[in-house]
Amino acid sequence: MATRSKIAIENQNGTVTAIYCHWDGGIESNGRMLIENYSTTSLNELIELGNISSLGTTPDDTIAFCRDRGDDLNFETYPNVETFFEDAFDMGIEYVYCLTKDELWLVSDGGPVVELQVAIEEGY
């Protein structure tokens, strides 16, 4: 069964651009992969792919709906990080991740927003 997630980046103007990821959205899989492999540059490359089926260690290793399956290019924009974490839990989304413009990864499972590194270390 899929563990759906959203992966987002806070833009320099404070808006947030997010994509949907269908598989392996949990902290021990996508969360760990994001914090270990994605910074602002590589995350922007990932977001440019639009919604994805599964996350790879690089955008090239990721299975993207548009690039790899011919679907429409889709992503979402939110006015700010707070709104993203309030509104991102639709379509059965279980985890949401956001890289802030200060290079800090945040995560929520619908509860409090926490630093991703802390969530990994404490086994959320």
Side-chain angles (χ1 to χ4, degrees):
M1 180 167 221
T3 303
R4 297 176 177 108
S5 63
K6 287 191 180 176
I7 301 167
I9 191 165
E10 181 184 21
N11 303 304
Q12 287 303 311
N13 67 0
T15 63
V16 172
T17 305
I19 58 172
Y20 165 79
C21 180
H22 190 71
W23 293 104
D24 298 329
I27 291 171
E28 282 302 314
S29 51
N30 280 5
R32 189 172 291 279
M33 196 174 318
L34 287 167
I35 205 164
E36 291 175 357
N37 298 288
Y38 287 89
S39 62
T40 298
T41 300
S42 55
L43 185 59
N44 275 318
E45 292 172 13
L46 179 73
I47 298 289
E48 288 176 5
L49 295 175
N51 294 339
I52 61 176
S53 178
S54 61
L55 179 65
T57 56
T58 69
D60 288 339
D61 295 333
T62 296
I63 299 173
F65 291 135
C66 179
R67 179 191 66 197
D68 302 319
R69 297 190 176 165
D71 292 350
D72 292 337
L73 179 65
N74 289 304
F75 55 86
E76 297 174 306
T77 303
Y78 297 83
N80 54 52
V81 172
E82 293 79 18
T83 302
F84 169 67
F85 279 103
E86 290 170 3
D87 295 348
F89 290 95
D90 59 1
M91 300 182 344
I93 299 297
E94 297 175 65
Y95 294 91
V96 294
Y97 301 95
C98 184
L99 181 63
T100 68
K101 57 187 169 186
D102 298 324
E103 295 278 329
L104 179 66
W105 274 107
L106 302 174
V107 63
S108 176
D109 63 359
V113 177
V114 298
E115 291 182 29
L116 180 54
Q117 185 63 47
V118 171
I120 291 170
E121 291 169 1
E122 296 184 3
Y124 276 64

